[in-house]
């Protein structure tokens, strides 16, 4: 029989409604898109010196960066950052450069414990002040950031000495010889009060100091690991500490109460920094670890928002006050600079603003590409389309609604599942739950953990259903186990004793019925035998 060629299998022309759209799905969150817009490059050549500290000037219009690098402090300025003349700090390893609140002075510590203060705009003229009090490495040098204090700074180091300095006179206002029991490697000034600062030590402790009260710490608490970095959050009421692979946020106003703990790194967290998101103005807590990752944490919602991977282990981290430059220092002397690039749409908008008066036209948008089987959306197209008249609709299977005891069993809350089934008084469900608990070897444990009211529910169920032929064999075993395990509880409660008496009566009646039935069976069997013959 010849095929009918008047009706082709497929139409010759594709219908416009069946052509899929070319819109691609977006798998990145807005925050991930923001951090991915930073273009990463290297600022310093590869060598064997560690970049232990990074600091941006807080008061410069253009980003100005200071990095401790071997016996010198490297300076970078501009957008993008370009190198400036370096500061040579004697013949010792330099640590912890810190800019004054106005950006005019830069203080640097060294391996012998000497702190030198330089002019940030004339680094070649030598140090203006030399502060000598420490006998070991000075790993913490910090100027106050609040209140415009320009004459004080605090220092700490491996000799566990804490010093609060009057810089113009080169004399300490006070010193605390044993501020901690081990190396002091972290310190941060409060953004709310220029007299308050925090220190962290390898003895696992974090202490808050008030320059007005002197040598006694105002607050002390334990991080649990050797503290590598401490940082006040912008409000000044919360303090972030990093030690081991854990970052903890503390409420210092509430007496050092732990607010949240973050364990997002797999190795030691070496540095903390605050970063301002230029698109929203929100602040993020950044952490750099020896695992080579920089993590972004939203401390307002207490959740991790993004991770950035670097090829080397990181020791230091800083973000410019304007939020456009992110730098990370590695253990091999490389400083990675991330500079946020402008989107083409932003550049087009700026160009349109410049020539809008002369040319009043808009660039036509390109046509959307057609979907192909190489795109995931090609296979899910049409799922939201509404059926037309004459279409055959395949109904979705109805969602199975689980009972409460099934949900509790899925969560391994065995006792709650048994009590829930008993409260519903459905023999089929109760026996099913008990059999499942027997399979899990949890029924005896659940019975032993029941309270007085719950034991009453179980005994009432056994009283009603223990003699039913379908469940008798199983429930009589359960009843014997209940009497064996909960005899003391049953004796101490009148209601439970009443349930046991009723159960005993029911069982006695059932035994009498069974004996009567056996007698009747004995009389009927001979008659049936004669009838068959």
């Amino acid at each position: 029989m010849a095929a009918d060629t008047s009706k082709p299998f497929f139409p010759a022309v594709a219908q416009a409604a069946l052509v899929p759209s070319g819109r691609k799905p977006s798998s990145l969150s807005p925050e991930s898109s923001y951090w991915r817009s930073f273009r990463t490059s290297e600022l310093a050549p590869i060598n064997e010196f560690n970049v232990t500290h990074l600091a941006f000037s807080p008061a410069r219009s253009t980003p100005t960066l200071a990095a401790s690098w071997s016996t010198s402090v490297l300076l970078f300025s501009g957008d993008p950052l370009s190198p400036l003349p370096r500061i040579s700090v004697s013949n010792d390893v330099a640590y912890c450069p810190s800019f004054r609140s106005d950006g005019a002075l830069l203080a640097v510590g060294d391996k012998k414990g000497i702190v030198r203060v330089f002019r940030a705009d004339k680094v070649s003229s030598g140090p203006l002040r030399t502060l000598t009090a420490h006998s070991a490495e000075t790993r913490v040098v910090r100027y106050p950031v609040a209140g415009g204090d320009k004459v004080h700074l605090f220092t700490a180091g491996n000799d566990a000495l804490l010093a609060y300095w009057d810089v113009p006179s080169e004399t300490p206002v006070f010193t605390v010889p044993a501020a901690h029991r081990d190396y002091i490697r972290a310190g941060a000034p409060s953004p709310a009060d220029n007299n308050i600062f925090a220190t962290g030590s390898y003895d696992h402790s974090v202490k808050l100091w008030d320059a007005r009260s002197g040598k006694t710490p105002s607050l002390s608490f334990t991080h649990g690991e050797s503290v590598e970095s401490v940082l006040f959050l912008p409000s000044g009421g919360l303090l972030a500490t990093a030690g081991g692979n854990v970052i903890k946020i503390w409420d210092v106003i509430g007496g050092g109460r732990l607010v949240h703990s973050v364990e997002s790194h797999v190795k030691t967290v070496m540095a903390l920094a605050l970063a301002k998101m230029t698109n929203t103005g929100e602040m993020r807590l950044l952490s750099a670890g020896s695992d080579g990752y920089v993590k972004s944490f939203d401390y307002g919602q207490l959740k991790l928002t993004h991770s950035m991977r670097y090829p080397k282990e990181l020791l230091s981290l800083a973000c410019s006050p304007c939020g456009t430059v992110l730098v990370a220092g590695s253990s091999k002397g490389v400083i990675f600079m991330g500079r946020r690039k402008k989107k083409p749409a932003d550049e087009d908008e700026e160009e349109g603003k410049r020539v809008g008066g002369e040319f009043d036209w808009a660039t036509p948008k390109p046509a959307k590409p057609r979907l192909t089987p190489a795109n995931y959306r090609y296979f899910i197209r049409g799922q939201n389309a509404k059926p037309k008249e004459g279409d055959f609709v395949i109904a979705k299977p109805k969602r199975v609604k689980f009972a409460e005891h099934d949900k509790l069993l899925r969560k391994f809350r065995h006792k709650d599942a048994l009590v829930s089934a008993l409260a519903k008084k459905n023999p089929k469900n109760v026996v099913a739950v008990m059999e499942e608990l027997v399979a899990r070897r949890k029924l005896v444990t659940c019975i032993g953990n029941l309270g007085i009211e719950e034991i009453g529910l179980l005994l009432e169920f056994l009283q009603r259903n223990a003699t039913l032929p379908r469940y008798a064999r199983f429930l009589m075993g359960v009843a014997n186990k209940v009497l064996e395990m909960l005899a003391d509880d049953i004796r101490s409660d009148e209601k439970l004793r009443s349930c046991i008496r009723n159960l005993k009566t029911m069982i006695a009646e059932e035994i009498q019925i069974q004996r009567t039935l056996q007698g009747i069976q004995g009389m009927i069997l001979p008659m049936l035998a004669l009838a068959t013959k």
Side-chain angles (χ1 to χ4, degrees), residues 233-464:
L233 299 185
S235 64
L238 297 177
L239 178 70
T241 62
N245 66 333
V246 183
I247 302 169
K248 296 183 178 180
I249 299 178
W250 308 84
D251 181 7
V252 295
I253 297 178
R257 179 178 62 89
L258 178 62
V259 177
H260 191 68
S261 180
V262 187
E263 298 183 16
S264 57
H265 290 268
V266 296
K267 292 186 179 180
T268 305
V269 182
M270 303 301 298
L272 299 174
L274 286 173
K276 180 182 179 181
M277 298 181 64
T278 56
N279 57 347
T280 61
E282 298 179 354
M283 300 295 291
R284 293 292 182 264
L285 176 63
L286 302 183
S287 60
S290 55
D291 56 359
Y293 278 93
V294 172
K295 308 278 187 174
S296 171
F297 182 74
D298 184 355
Y299 53 84
Q301 299 184 5
L302 300 179
K303 67 176 183 179
L304 190 70
T305 57
H306 189 65
S307 296
M308 292 169 277
R309 180 75 169 91
Y310 289 84
K312 294 179 175 59
E313 59 180 281
L314 304 179
L315 301 180
S316 53
L317 183 69
C319 186
S320 63
C322 57
T324 58
V325 181
L326 175 66
V327 291
S330 73
S331 61
K332 298 298 182 181
V334 181
I335 301 176
F336 299 100
M337 178 189 69
R339 181 169 172 264
R340 188 165 186 262
K341 57 184 179 182
K342 291 184 178 180
K343 294 183 178 179
D346 299 338
E347 296 176 354
D348 294 343
E349 183 179 354
E350 292 179 1
E351 185 177 355
K353 290 180 180 179
R354 290 194 299 268
V355 300
E358 187 173 354
F359 300 100
D360 190 11
W361 60 278
T363 305
K365 296 183 179 179
K368 295 182 179 179
R370 183 177 178 180
L371 281 180
T372 63
N375 195 307
Y376 170 72
R377 289 185 59 83
Y378 178 85
F379 298 97
I380 64 172
R381 66 193 189 281
Q383 289 189 0
N384 297 326
K386 295 182 179 180
K388 299 179 180 179
E389 185 178 358
D391 291 343
F392 180 77
V393 181
I394 301 176
K396 292 184 178 180
K398 293 184 178 180
R399 186 176 180 181
V400 179
K401 186 176 181 180
F402 291 99
E404 184 179 0
H405 58 266
D406 288 329
K407 296 178 182 178
L408 294 172
L409 284 174
R410 284 169 173 253
K411 298 177 181 179
F412 300 96
R413 295 169 58 183
H414 302 115
K415 174 191 166 184
D416 296 338
L418 178 59
V419 173
S420 175
L422 289 171
K424 298 295 182 181
K425 299 180 181 181
N426 188 333
K428 183 178 178 180
N429 292 341
V430 176
V431 174
V433 171
M434 288 183 176
E435 290 177 346
E436 177 64 21
L437 294 179
V438 170
R440 299 187 185 187
R441 299 181 180 180
K442 294 295 182 181
L443 181 59
V444 175
T445 304
C446 292
I447 293 175
N449 293 333
L450 294 177
I452 298 297
E453 295 182 359
E454 297 164 349
I455 295 173
L457 285 176
L458 178 58
L459 292 179
E460 289 177 2
F461 171 77
L462 294 174
Q463 172 190 336
R464 290 192 303 269

Side-chain angles (χ1 to χ4, degrees), residues 125-306:
S125 60
L128 297 177
R129 297 289 185 271
T130 301
L131 312 179
T132 305
H134 296 275
S135 59
E137 299 176 3
T138 307
R139 290 297 190 104
V140 178
V141 178
R142 292 286 187 269
Y143 272 105
V145 296
D149 188 350
K150 300 180 181 180
V151 298
H152 297 103
L153 64 83
F154 71 93
T155 60
N158 288 357
D159 55 358
L161 174 70
L162 173 66
Y164 188 74
W165 295 89
D166 178 51
V167 178
S169 62
E170 300 184 2
T171 57
V173 178
F174 66 87
T175 58
V176 185
H180 289 268
R181 294 177 297 170
D182 207 335
Y183 297 164
I184 302 177
R185 291 295 182 89
S190 170
D193 192 332
N194 61 327
N195 295 302
I196 297 176
F197 52 92
T199 57
S201 169
Y202 277 9
D203 64 358
H204 302 182
S205 68
V206 179
K207 296 184 179 181
L208 260 69
W209 307 84
D210 192 333
R212 295 163 293 191
S213 60
K215 300 182 179 181
T216 304
S218 303
L219 180 64
S220 178
F221 48 88
T222 302
H223 176 84
E225 297 282 350
S226 298
V227 181
E228 297 285 353
S229 180
V230 298
L231 181 67
F232 278 96
L233 299 185
S235 64
L238 297 177
L239 178 70
T241 62
N245 66 333
V246 183
I247 302 169
K248 296 183 178 180
I249 299 178
W250 308 84
D251 181 7
V252 295
I253 297 178
R257 179 178 62 89
L258 178 62
V259 177
H260 191 68
S261 180
V262 187
E263 298 183 16
S264 57
H265 290 268
V266 296
K267 292 186 179 180
T268 305
V269 182
M270 303 301 298
L272 299 174
L274 286 173
K276 180 182 179 181
M277 298 181 64
T278 56
N279 57 347
T280 61
E282 298 179 354
M283 300 295 291
R284 293 292 182 264
L285 176 63
L286 302 183
S287 60
S290 55
D291 56 359
Y293 278 93
V294 172
K295 308 278 187 174
S296 171
F297 182 74
D298 184 355
Y299 53 84
Q301 299 184 5
L302 300 179
K303 67 176 183 179
L304 190 70
T305 57
H306 189 65

Side-chain angles (χ1 to χ4, degrees), residues 43-54 66-76 86-97 108-109 316 329-335:
L43 279 181
I46 298 177
N47 51 59
E48 297 300 324
F49 299 113
N50 298 336
V51 182
T52 57
H53 297 87
L54 296 167
S68 58
W69 183 80
S70 181
T71 61
S72 305
V73 173
L74 302 180
L75 293 178
F76 303 88
R86 67 177 60 182
I87 300 176
S88 180
V89 184
S90 183
N91 295 321
D92 301 312
V93 180
Y95 294 114
C96 198
V108 185
S316 53
S330 73
S331 61
K332 298 298 182 181
V334 181
I335 301 176

